[in-house]
Amino acid sequence: MSHHPSEPARPHTESSDRYRIGVIGAGRVGAVLAAGLRAAGHDVVAAAGESDASRGRVEALLPGVAVLKPSAVARAADLLLLTVPDDMLANVVTVLADSGAIREGQLVVHTSGRHGLAVLAPAVAVGARTVALHPAMTFTGTAVDLERLGGCVFGLTAEPEERDVAASLVADLGGRPMWVPETRRSLYHAGLAHGANHLVTLVTEAMEILAAAGADDPAATLRPLLTAALDNALEHGDAALTGPIVRGDVGTVEAHLESVLAEAPTTLPSYLALARATLSRAVTDGRLLPIRALRLSQVLDDAEATAAARPVRRLT
């Protein structure tokens, strides 16, 4: 860890420590976080990225930073930032630790939402300090993301002696810490994926249905409605629910299902799944009488049975 008291104070930071940072996996997340830490006064000394896209991000977001092999990046850094895909993380840590590229006292930080500290056990075994630091944001891999980091929540898992440094890194990035127990990392990540990734699928399917209905610009049609619905849901939860399910409008739901099955059948499974989930929540909070809910449930079951009975169209 390097400290240079003669250098000017960094903006947006609560820590007096400056690190020599190496980033392995210069993807959308890694390049942006490294650039954010560099802007806060840390020294990004090297990056590893195999693809042309990764090298392009280093050139754009981290100009002047050397692109090296992962082992060389690890040896050059006193803070090693691992931003590789979840399924690669364990192998990367093991290889680097076994080769001696990770050393005692080094700070090893990964950005996986799913993993906590257990995946970094090989680094701990050689005396490294470890932190799990996951930004709860979607990344484009461009400078646009740097502004979005302000106020971003970071899911942090760290041993007590590393909590201060973890929090200071988040402060340097302009974010807010959320402490996640080791045993709850997968649950934390599932909540984010269900809300964000599945939202993209939902919105895309809604646009497909509107396009089938003749909308010239489905996105513009949905934007005001979805913006209001998202804000209301985040503010009020289930109380924000509106629409035919909550009202118990059986005929409207039947009409939806007939039209979707005829014109946009690929979207029917998600419509049915989300309609059932909405129905359950509306009954639980007392907004829908059980007898009406039973009728709606039967309508959903009938639509599913009708879809299943249709002949499968095979490619020839």
Side-chain angles (χ1 to χ4, degrees):
M1 181 170 64
S2 58
H3 178 210
H4 306 287
S6 61
E7 294 181 12
R10 290 171 291 161
H12 313 302
T13 181
E14 298 177 357
S15 170
S16 61
D17 294 323
R18 290 182 175 86
Y19 292 97
R20 290 172 52 82
I21 295 174
V23 55
I24 295 179
R28 295 180 181 184
V29 176
V32 169
L33 293 186
L37 291 170
R38 189 188 208 187
H42 298 283
D43 183 14
V44 179
V45 295
E50 297 296 327
S51 70
D52 290 341
S54 292
R55 292 173 179 272
R57 278 187 284 266
V58 172
E59 184 177 342
L61 292 170
L62 300 167
V65 171
V67 178
L68 305 175
K69 295 293 184 182
S71 59
V73 172
R75 289 188 171 91
D78 48 37
L79 189 159
L80 182 60
L81 189 62
L82 301 176
T83 57
V84 299
D86 287 1
D87 288 349
M88 292 176 56
L89 183 56
N91 185 59
V92 169
V93 175
T94 299
V95 170
L96 291 173
D98 289 350
S99 68
I102 293 176
R103 62 189 179 276
E104 184 176 0
Q106 190 174 31
L107 189 61
V108 179
V109 179
H110 78 67
T111 59
S112 166
R114 168 194 166 195
H115 291 294
L117 301 180
V119 74
L120 299 177
V124 174
V126 298
R129 305 152 60 200
T130 57
V131 171
L133 180 152
H134 174 256
M137 190 179 83
T138 185
F139 286 76
T140 66
T142 68
V144 170
D145 298 333
L146 292 171
E147 295 182 9
R148 293 176 177 169
L149 286 175
C152 173
V153 170
F154 286 76
L156 295 177
T157 304
E159 297 294 352
E161 60 270 24
E162 310 301 348
R163 286 172 69 99
D164 285 348
V165 70
S168 73
L169 291 171
V170 170
D172 286 347
L173 291 166
R176 296 186 293 119
M178 172 186 171
W179 295 101
V180 183
E182 177 78 11
T183 56
R184 299 291 178 89
R185 291 292 296 195
S186 290
L187 187 63
Y188 153 80
H189 194 234
L192 297 178
H194 188 42
N197 304 150
H198 298 169
L199 176 64
V200 173
T201 301
L202 171 64
V203 172
T204 301
E205 290 192 349
M207 290 195 291
E208 289 176 6
I209 294 172
L210 285 172
D216 293 330
D217 190 349
T221 303
L222 281 171
R223 185 171 287 109
L225 175 65
L226 294 187
T227 300
L230 179 60
D231 288 344
N232 288 340
L234 292 173
E235 183 72 23
H236 303 293
D238 281 341
L241 276 174
T242 63
I245 294 286
V246 176
R247 291 193 300 266
D249 291 340
V250 176
T252 299
V253 174
E254 283 182 317
H256 285 181
L257 293 167
E258 290 173 4
S259 297
V260 167
L261 186 58
E263 304 291 342
T266 60
T267 68
L268 184 67
S270 63
Y271 185 107
L272 290 171
L274 289 170
R276 288 188 174 109
T278 302
L279 182 59
S280 176
R281 301 184 82 88
V283 171
T284 299
D285 71 8
R287 296 174 64 182
L288 190 62
L289 293 175
I291 190 169
R292 185 56 63 95
L294 184 62
R295 176 70 182 117
L296 281 167
S297 182
Q298 186 61 55
V299 166
L300 298 174
D301 291 345
D302 289 347
E304 186 171 40
T306 299
R310 285 193 166 191
V312 178
R313 299 177 65 179
R314 300 184 184 278
L315 297 176
T316 58

